[in-house]
Amino acid sequence: MLLPAYATGFALGFSLILAIGAQNAFVLRQGLLRQHVLLVVLFCASADTLLILAGVAGLSALIAEVVGHHASVLFGLAALWLAGYGVMRLGSAIRAGDAISTDAATATTVTAVLTTAVILTFGNPHVYLDTVVLIGAVSLQFHGTSKLAYGAGAITASFVFFFMLGYGASLLAPTMQRPNAWRILDTLIALVMFVLALGMAKAGGWFGG
């Protein structure tokens, strides 16, 4: 059960973080400029780690205690949330995807770069919804070492993604500026979300399988 749990955490974490936002665009720009790349990727991945641990180890236990015998409702809501993400990514694919802008001015000092990273990370409410709430809620279907494996998978996805984005920026940028590349990526993300939503619905007993 450890490998499936780890794979679920990795797939969910990677899919959520691939929804490019201001933080990821900032990491990409730093990679293109080759300025404080290691500092930026380590900070972003470490911040995700803290939030994921809070969701898996803390919030999920609190939710389980509060929800009690109505856990199926929580699983159903999580399934709807995941399915909603999938629909959003499909909509983005139909609209030809979102390009990343990398020509904005970027801070050059360590203090300025780190300050920007802090603001873009902890100032974004979606960060808490994705890591603490959603990843924490999905963790409720796992127990013991399987839950640890699930959390480790989500954390690994964060480190892999940010290091790939920061140090592979010069290779990724030309490709990801093409709308067709985002169509393919958004479609794959949507499929992952739909599969995870199905798993949550089954875990909540909404239908057999």
Side-chain angles (χ1 to χ4, degrees):
M1 281 297 296
L2 294 183
L3 185 57
Y6 181 89
T8 299
F10 188 93
L12 177 58
F14 210 86
S15 297
L16 289 173
I17 205 171
L18 272 172
I20 293 297
Q23 182 197 47
N24 295 353
F26 172 71
V27 174
L28 180 60
R29 287 195 296 269
Q30 292 302 126
L32 288 171
L33 295 172
R34 294 182 175 86
Q35 294 178 350
H36 314 299
V37 180
L38 181 60
L39 173 66
V40 170
V41 297
L42 281 178
F43 172 82
C44 292
S46 298
D48 270 6
T49 297
L50 293 176
L51 295 171
I52 290 169
L53 289 176
V56 174
L59 184 66
S60 62
L62 177 62
I63 293 174
E65 182 179 350
V66 173
V67 173
H69 298 295
H70 302 287
S72 61
V73 176
L74 179 62
F75 283 111
L77 291 175
L80 289 175
W81 195 340
L82 288 165
Y85 264 97
V87 171
M88 289 172 58
R89 299 329 301 170
L90 278 182
S92 179
I94 293 173
R95 295 191 302 270
D98 303 317
I100 303 175
S101 175
T102 60
D103 55 0
T106 305
T108 56
T109 68
V110 171
T111 301
V113 167
L114 188 57
T115 300
T116 302
V118 170
I119 294 173
L120 293 178
T121 299
F122 295 108
N124 181 6
H126 287 290
V127 169
Y128 303 99
L129 293 175
D130 290 349
T131 56
V132 179
V133 178
L134 184 54
I135 291 180
V138 174
S139 74
L140 291 176
Q141 64 183 299
F142 302 105
H143 304 280
T145 54
S146 292
K147 176 173 285 193
L148 294 177
Y150 165 81
I155 291 171
T156 301
S158 181
F159 274 89
V160 169
F161 175 81
F162 281 119
F163 271 85
M164 284 177 57
L165 187 61
Y167 287 99
S170 59
L171 298 176
L172 289 173
T175 299
M176 301 316 293
Q177 288 290 351
R178 303 171 184 170
N180 282 338
W182 284 109
R183 280 199 181 100
I184 296 172
L185 181 59
D186 282 330
T187 301
L188 291 175
I189 293 173
L191 291 175
V192 170
M193 292 298 183
F194 291 145
V195 170
L196 291 172
L198 181 63
M200 287 299 291
K202 287 184 176 180
W206 287 92
F207 53 86

